[in-house]
Amino acid sequence: MRTILVTGGCGFIGSNFIRYMLDKYDDVFIINLDALTYCGNLDNLSDINGINRYKFIQGDIGDFELVSSIFQEFKPDIVVNFAAESHNDRAVLNPRIFLETNVLGTQNLLEVCKKFGIKRFHHISTCEVFGDLDLNDSNIFTESSPYKPRTPYNASKAAADHVVRVYYHTFGVPITISNCGNNYGHYQYPEKLIPLFVTNALEDKSLPLFKSSQNKREWVYVLDHCAAVDLILQHGKVGESYNIGTGVEKSIEEIAAIILKTLNKPETLKQYVQDRPGHDRRYALEWSKIKNELGWAPKINFEEGIVETILWYKNNPDWWKKLKNRSFKDYYDNYYSKLKL
Ligand SMILES: NC(=O)c1ccc[n+]([C@@H]2O[C@H](COP(=O)([O-])OP(=O)(O)OC[C@H]3O[C@@H](n4cnc5c(N)ncnc54)[C@H](O)[C@@H]3O)[C@@H](O)[C@H]2O)c1
C-alpha cells in the first residue's frame, strides 16, 4: 500500500486528484490535510468520504506539530502539495497570507519530510512563476526559463519553487515540481474565471471581463493535470521540474463567448471592468519534456472539455450556489473600492 499525504485536497485540483488516485489504484491510501479556508470544501469529496483508504484531517500545512504527528502515525511515502492561497485577485488585497501559506507552509512540510524521511515530495506549481509573455511571442516558457513573477500570488509560488529546490540541493529531500497552465473542470471555486462566468451567466448576471480581454491563458483539463502528476510520481526524475501544458490558448474574450453560446445567453451580459493591477498578458508552456520523457499528453480535447465543464456547473447548482452566497457579497461587489483604485 502506498500512503500519500495530499495537502489542499478539499480544493479544486486536490479533490480531483484524490478521486483520480482512489479510482485508479486499489493500493493507495490517501490522507488529505486541508485547513478548509474559504475555498476548501468538503462537498468536493462527499462521494468518497466513506472509503476506508481515505482519511481527512483538518489543519494547516504550516503547523509543524500537526504535520509531524501525521508523519509519525501514517508514515507517508509521498507528499503531494496542492495547498495554497491560489487567487490572484485576493493576493492583491492581502499578499501576506499568500507568503505565509505558499512559502512558509511549503517550507514547513519540507522540514518535516527532512526530519522523518520521504520517498517523494511533489510540489504543485504554476506557469505564472515565469512572468508574462507578449501576446504573439513565439518564445514560450521552458523548464529552464528564468523566474520573473509580477504579482503577489506568482511571487509566492516562485519563492515556494525555490524553497523546494533548496531542500533537494541542500538537504537531499527527493523532490519533483510541476508547473501547470490554467486548469478547468469540475469543483473549481466560483471566483475563478470559468466557473464565475458560467454561474453568473446562469443567474443572468454580468460577466466581468478585464478590459484587456485579449489576454490569453493556456488551458489544461483538470484530470489531464492529475494524470500528469501521477506519471511524475511514478517516473519523474528526482530534482527535476516538468511543465504541463496543452498548446490550447484562449483569450478571456473567447472563453466568455464559448460560455454565452453554450448557455444560450446574450452577449450583452459581458461587462468590461478595470484590469487587475499587474494583470499578466499571457502564459504559455513548452511541454515536450513531460511528453518525451514520461509519455504524457492531454487526453481531453478543449472544445469537448469546456462544454462538458459548463454543463456540469449548469447541472450542479446545489454545489455552487451556497459557495457564491458564502463569500461573494462582501467581496467582488467591493473589490475595486478595497483596492482604492
Ligand atoms: N487552478 C489552476 O488553474 C492552477 C494552475 C496551476 C497550478 N495551480 C496550483 O495548484 C494548487 C491547487 O490549486 P486549486 O486551484 O485547486 O486551489 P484552491 O484554491 O481551489 O484550493 C486550495 C486548497 O488549499 C487549502 N489550503 C489553503 N491554505 C492552506 C493551509 N495553510 N493548510 C492546508 N490547506 C490549505 C484550501 O482550504 C483549499 O482546499 C495550488 O498550489 C495552485 O497554485 C493551480
Side-chain angles (χ1 to χ4, degrees):
M1 188 71 81
R2 273 188 300 167
T3 300
I4 305 180
L5 172 60
V6 172
T7 71
C10 294
F12 165 44
I13 309 174
S15 62
N16 276 286
F17 180 74
I18 290 174
R19 186 176 293 100
Y20 176 92
M21 294 297 281
L22 288 174
D23 276 354
K24 185 165 176 194
Y25 300 105
D26 289 333
D27 62 344
V28 158
F29 176 74
I30 291 189
I31 305 144
N32 172 14
L33 172 63
D34 194 298
L36 294 182
T37 66
Y38 75 96
C39 62
N41 185 358
L42 289 173
D43 288 353
N44 293 2
L45 289 167
S46 54
D47 54 327
I48 63 146
N49 265 332
I51 294 179
N52 61 7
R53 291 183 293 113
Y54 170 72
K55 180 168 181 61
F56 170 65
I57 297 172
Q58 182 171 2
D60 189 331
I61 56 167
D63 181 339
F64 185 80
E65 300 304 323
L66 173 66
V67 181
S68 297
S69 72
I70 293 171
F71 270 65
Q72 278 166 320
E73 184 175 352
F74 296 101
K75 302 181 177 43
D77 303 293
I78 295 168
V79 174
V80 185
N81 182 29
F82 291 92
E85 289 292 336
S86 71
H87 192 37
N88 257 311
D89 289 4
R90 287 180 189 264
V92 178
L93 296 175
N94 182 10
R96 191 182 179 94
I97 182 71
F98 283 71
L99 297 172
E100 284 169 356
T101 292
N102 300 359
V103 187
L104 295 177
T106 299
Q107 185 267 339
N108 185 62
L109 291 172
L110 287 156
E111 192 59 30
V112 178
C113 290
K114 174 176 150 238
K115 181 171 173 191
F116 291 94
I118 196 77
K119 288 186 186 142
R120 178 74 64 81
F121 180 93
H122 183 74
H123 182 67
I124 305 292
S125 188
T126 163
C127 56
E128 302 188 24
V129 297
F130 298 115
D132 83 333
L133 289 168
D134 187 85
L135 288 179
N136 300 312
D137 199 334
S138 55
N139 294 314
I140 59 177
F141 302 127
T142 70
E143 284 81 358
S144 51
S145 292
Y147 277 30
K148 290 184 181 170
R150 296 170 0 106
T151 72
Y153 165 67
N154 298 353
S156 72
K157 294 297 291 184
D161 287 10
H162 291 315
V163 171
V164 173
R165 290 195 183 97
V166 161
Y167 269 76
Y168 168 64
H169 290 294
T170 308
F171 303 116
V173 176
I175 65 96
T176 40
I177 297 175
S178 50
N179 297 83
C180 190
N182 269 42
N183 283 216
Y184 69 98
H186 305 181
Y187 301 107
Q188 187 168 28
Y189 195 75
E191 66 184 353
K192 301 281 171 63
L193 184 78
I194 290 176
L196 177 70
F197 282 10
V198 173
T199 56
N200 278 15
L202 287 167
E203 294 184 307
D204 294 310
K205 290 183 181 161
S206 60
L207 277 50
L209 281 79
F210 286 140
K211 263 193 299 202
S212 308
S213 62
Q214 295 308 325
N215 285 4
K216 49 188 176 182
R217 301 290 181 258
E218 181 175 20
W219 296 96
V220 181
Y221 188 69
V222 65
L223 293 178
D224 279 328
H225 184 182
C226 296
V229 173
D230 179 24
L231 262 185
I232 296 169
L233 292 179
Q234 291 181 64
H235 305 296
K237 201 168 154 216
V238 165
E240 296 284 314
S241 64
Y242 296 87
N243 283 352
I244 304 171
T246 56
V248 177
E249 294 186 75
K250 300 283 173 203
S251 67
I252 302 175
E253 197 68 50
E254 288 172 300
I255 294 288
I258 294 168
I259 290 170
L260 292 173
K261 183 165 175 243
T262 307
L263 295 174
N264 202 17
K265 297 286 181 179
E267 291 269 315
T268 48
L269 283 182
K270 289 193 295 187
Q271 184 194 18
Y272 293 90
V273 300
Q274 196 169 348
D275 274 22
R276 177 179 63 229
H279 185 208
D280 287 336
R281 293 164 296 174
R282 175 180 172 225
Y283 316 111
L285 294 170
E286 211 282 312
W287 51 279
S288 58
K289 179 175 173 181
I290 190 166
K291 186 175 174 209
N292 297 337
E293 291 184 16
L294 306 186
W296 177 86
K299 289 202 172 110
I300 304 296
N301 164 282
F302 178 79
E303 278 67 29
E304 289 166 23
I306 189 69
V307 169
E308 191 269 346
T309 297
I310 294 167
L311 296 180
W312 186 83
Y313 290 100
K314 184 179 178 196
N315 295 330
N316 289 279
D318 292 349
W319 180 82
W320 56 264
K321 278 200 167 157
K322 56 188 163 190
L323 299 178
K324 284 193 108 170
N325 292 338
R326 185 157 99 190
S327 68
F328 276 58
K329 284 193 169 39
D330 67 332
Y331 182 62
Y332 269 103
D333 292 352
N334 296 321
Y335 181 67
Y336 288 97
S337 64
K338 280 190 204 156
L339 279 177
K340 299 193 175 58
L341 288 175

